[in-house]
Amino acid sequence: MLEAQPLTLLATNMLFLLAAALVWAALGQVLSGNQRPALLLALLNALLAASLGGNALRGIGPDWLTFWGANMMAIGSFGLVRLAVPATLGEQAPWWPPALVVAVGGLVLALLPLRSDWTPVVNFTCMSWLMLSSALHAWRRLRQRLRLGMVLAMTSPLFLFAGLLLLRLVQLLSGHTTRLRDTSDANVAWLWAVLVMCLVLNATLAFWVLMRLILRIRRLTERDALTDALNRRAFGELLVREQAELGRGRGHALVVLDVDHFKRINDNLGHAAGDAALLHLVQVLQGCLRESDQLGRLGGEEFGVLLPLSDQAGAIRSAERMRAALAAKPLQWQGQAWPMSASFGVAAAAPTDSEAEGLMLRADKALYRAKELGRNRVEVG
Amino acid sequence: MQFFDATTLLLVNAVFNALAALAWALLAGVFKVAPRACWVLAAAHLSRIAALRCYECRLLSPLQRLPWLPELFGVLTLALLCLGVQRLLRLQADSRPVLLIAGTGMLAVLGIGLAGRTSGMLIAGSLTGFVLALLICRDILVGARPTMAARWVLPLSLPYLALAAALVWRGLRVLGGAEQVTPALMMWLWLLLSLASSVSLIALVVHRLIGRISQLSLHDPLTGALNRRAINRGLQRLQALRQRGHPYCVLLLDIDHFKAINDKHGHAGGDAALVHTVQVLRQGLRGQDELGRLGGEEFCVLLPYTELPAAAEVAERLRAHLASHACPWKAGKIAFTASFGAAQASSDELRSDAVLMQADRQLYRAKSSGRNRVCVEGEDETEGRDPPPSQPPGA
């Protein structure tokens, strides 16, 4: 007779894992361009479910499947966790380190007798190692981009899972036996923990995927589709923010520029060349800017550069650098070089500007003067 | 079925719903995805925990001894799910019918339950739940169908259809005076339904996010017209059809004296004029025509399966429409016109860029010969097609 309560927990956990596998597989169909993590996650959930099922059938099914097979599937699914974590974060990570761990684990398990007391030890060593390294990897990568609290919230489920596996390993080393169908309180507690952790692990990775989708949406709303520079609205909001900081003694400057005779490029070489010219311009400008400087496309062929912590002299130097770089690098279009230049208007923020509009207006006027005075030059407003 | 333990199934279901409620609350509070819908759905999952019930369980909270309480929470759960789904799908549906049905059902459950007639109460609860589950089904079918493939919509509404069926089944059993069903089996059923309904909700959220992304990456945020990238894609598609003998035309139009509008009414006035232009142009176009903003005040219309004479007529109609409909702005109006250039794509041109350049030449001609007019490729330069040149726009 099988024991009801552990079996119920095992069956529900398998149900959840299979449902998760199904959802990830469907997501993989829908998320074009982001399929790899979803398919890895579908596979790892299915493997984990199969491993639990195999484990539950110990003593009923053939030994090689319920012992060696179930252990291998468990290690394999955690190897997939190690692959899915970087993939979900949008990185290319080499596949061979986790594969090596799985292969070595599989080899050791194959050399041990099937029902040996040491097989669970090997099993849990591999699993906790893979989980811990996944958690550490996620921690390192996310720490580069996010605040500490956010990183803690996003990676703690992975560390918790790794801790749980390590706890189990310690238990095993101190002589406990593991039988998932055992009705002891300790085993029921372990099964509950596994159930909750499987749900939480899937939810965590789903939130990572979701966060990337949201970041993509934010990027689309803030950036110009062609050049990837900030769009007019986002750039305007940035100016307003900087203007508000001005009262605290942080000066900033604005450079506005307009490509000279842009219409000629469009008319002579076609719209595709016009687009290429704008991309070329942005590339050249980015090369002249500091990390904290912000480039925005104000419309058509007009761009703005916000220089935080900068005065008028510094802004003129920056604008002159950009002008010279652009004049020195002609646009390459279908094998021929097309010279490009731009006119620049510079203005430093003044507390007398009641709003960001004032600064923009002065820079605009300077740009207009640069155009009047013969183009390809920098003027100050 | 004696292999399975009803109490454990109930607890697993409760834990699952608690985690789901937490996830929805996170979505609403931290990620700010559809916050109103997500808060409602978090509440629905919490309410479902209170609705779980098992007669033969070893574990009964004191509240569960009141037979009508889980039933009330069951109806509440479905009402909240219904409201949440409506908000998630951005249906402009009236929430009053849902509240009315749920309110009536809850009153009936409470009244009959307090009178001590358990079977009558269960039937009232089942009936209300059945209606609400069907409403959710309808909302998903109606709300998701326009933007989602049929092979996704049907599976998404299936969990609620199954829920409706399960409630009918339960009601019929009570009517027939049957004994309680094996609890473990019932518990499995409710767990499966919980899981399936959550999966369906997750799919709806993902659908909403992906819809937003494709909307943003293919449309101009200000006017909602297609952006440059989408127009280029449309041109390539039409050029491919052109190779197989289907003609198409391109209209380019540019608002006349747009700078004067910007200078006089400010950037906000200029933006309003652009939005107004798209609205007016849309009214004069067929469903298969595509309208895009190329940048600044320049727009593009793709007319599939259209020869040049018909395209010239469309352009003339759009021009007249735009000239006679001023843009409402603050207390007054901004009147403005636009110049049009029309061109038909030739089949021997492989690049879709060429037709755009032809249309651009015609637009340039329209501008230089006095604005507020349509110029068509191959037409005599001196031929007057349009009314005399317009005045610069005034308020």
Side-chain angles (χ1 to χ4, degrees), chain A residues 82 94-102 130:
Chain A
R82 183 63 185 82
W95 57 272
W96 57 266
L100 193 68
V101 176
V102 175
L130 286 166

Side-chain angles (χ1 to χ4, degrees), chain A residues 1-5 7-9 11-12 15-16 19 23 26-27 29-31 150 192 195-196 199-200 203 207 210-211 213-214 216-218 220-221 225-226 231-233 263 266-275 297 300 333-334 357, chain B residues 2-6 8-9 11-13 15-16 19 22-24 26-27 30-31 33 58 151-152 188 191-192 195 199 202 205-206 209-210 212-214 216-217 221-222 227-229 232 252 267 271 294 296 298 351 353 356-357 360 364:
Chain A
M1 188 62 210
L2 289 162
E3 307 83 356
Q5 203 182 10
L7 197 69
T8 311
L9 282 168
T12 46
L15 175 74
F16 285 143
V23 171
L27 262 178
Q29 293 285 307
V30 181
L31 295 174
M150 195 70 178
W192 269 110
L195 178 93
V196 172
L199 283 174
V200 170
F207 273 114
L210 196 74
M211 211 175 73
L213 283 181
I214 292 169
R216 207 162 127 200
I217 290 180
R218 188 177 296 168
L220 282 168
T221 45
L226 175 65
N231 62 23
R232 198 177 84 193
R233 190 178 45 204
K263 202 161 158 40
N266 261 336
D267 289 350
N268 287 313
L269 305 177
H271 280 279
D275 288 355
R297 186 176 176 195
W333 180 249
Q334 290 175 347
E357 287 275 310
Chain B
Q2 296 309 318
F3 296 163
F4 297 110
D5 179 39
T8 311
L9 284 168
L11 278 176
V12 168
N13 201 344
V15 167
F16 174 74
L19 284 174
L22 182 69
W24 286 109
L26 273 177
L27 264 185
V30 180
F31 292 91
V33 176
R58 299 184 297 274
R151 72 192 163 106
W152 294 110
W188 266 115
L191 181 62
L192 272 173
L195 186 61
V199 167
I202 291 169
V205 168
V206 170
L209 285 175
I210 289 177
R212 181 116 177 81
I213 286 178
S214 72
L216 281 169
S217 55
L222 174 65
N227 64 15
R228 202 43 187 280
R229 192 188 314 161
N232 279 339
L252 274 189
H267 277 285
D271 286 354
L294 294 183
E298 194 177 11
R351 280 179 48 214
D353 225 22
L356 217 53
M357 283 171 85
D360 202 38
Y364 182 73

Side-chain angles (χ1 to χ4, degrees), chain A residues 11-204:
Chain A
T12 46
N13 199 358
M14 281 168 67
L15 175 74
F16 285 143
L17 289 169
L18 288 174
L22 216 63
V23 171
W24 284 114
L27 262 178
Q29 293 285 307
V30 181
L31 295 174
S32 51
N34 205 4
Q35 291 175 337
R36 213 173 92 90
L39 294 181
L40 284 173
L41 283 160
L43 197 59
L44 91 82
N45 275 299
L47 264 184
L48 211 51
S51 152
L52 281 179
N55 208 317
L57 289 176
R58 276 182 190 175
I60 301 167
D63 273 5
W64 63 269
L65 185 67
T66 54
F67 284 84
W68 190 80
N71 285 339
M72 275 316 292
M73 284 190 279
I75 299 180
S77 68
F78 281 85
L80 286 173
V81 171
R82 183 63 185 82
L83 287 179
V85 162
T88 312
L89 294 172
E91 302 166 13
Q92 295 286 334
W95 57 272
W96 57 266
L100 193 68
V101 176
V102 175
V104 169
L107 195 68
V108 175
L109 285 178
L111 293 175
L112 287 169
L114 279 179
R115 290 181 179 234
S116 153
D117 278 350
W118 284 100
T119 55
V121 174
V122 174
N123 196 12
F124 276 90
T125 310
C126 290
M127 289 197 296
S128 46
W129 169 258
L130 286 166
M131 198 66 213
L132 196 63
S133 111
S134 305
L136 285 171
H137 178 89
W139 173 274
R140 277 197 302 269
R141 287 309 149 114
L142 290 171
R143 195 65 191 93
Q144 293 167 0
R145 295 180 242 167
L146 297 171
R147 283 176 292 118
L148 185 65
M150 195 70 178
V151 180
L152 261 177
M154 285 176 67
T155 55
S156 56
L158 269 65
F159 281 109
L160 212 65
F161 207 152
L164 207 66
L165 292 167
L166 281 171
L167 194 74
R168 186 70 163 173
L169 186 62
V170 171
Q171 248 186 356
L172 284 170
L173 286 172
S174 58
H176 280 268
T177 53
T178 56
R179 243 180 94 244
L180 287 186
R181 294 207 317 270
D182 206 28
T183 39
S184 68
D185 284 352
N187 186 50
V188 169
W190 166 248
L191 285 174
W192 269 110
V194 170
L195 178 93
V196 172
M197 283 323 295
C198 284
L199 283 174
V200 170
L201 178 70
N202 273 300
T204 308

Side-chain angles (χ1 to χ4, degrees), chain B residues 347-366:
Chain B
S347 57
D348 46 327
E349 184 63 56
L350 272 172
R351 280 179 48 214
S352 49
D353 225 22
V355 62
L356 217 53
M357 283 171 85
Q358 283 167 22
D360 202 38
R361 260 200 306 278
Q362 299 308 317
L363 172 59
Y364 182 73
R365 242 183 71 208

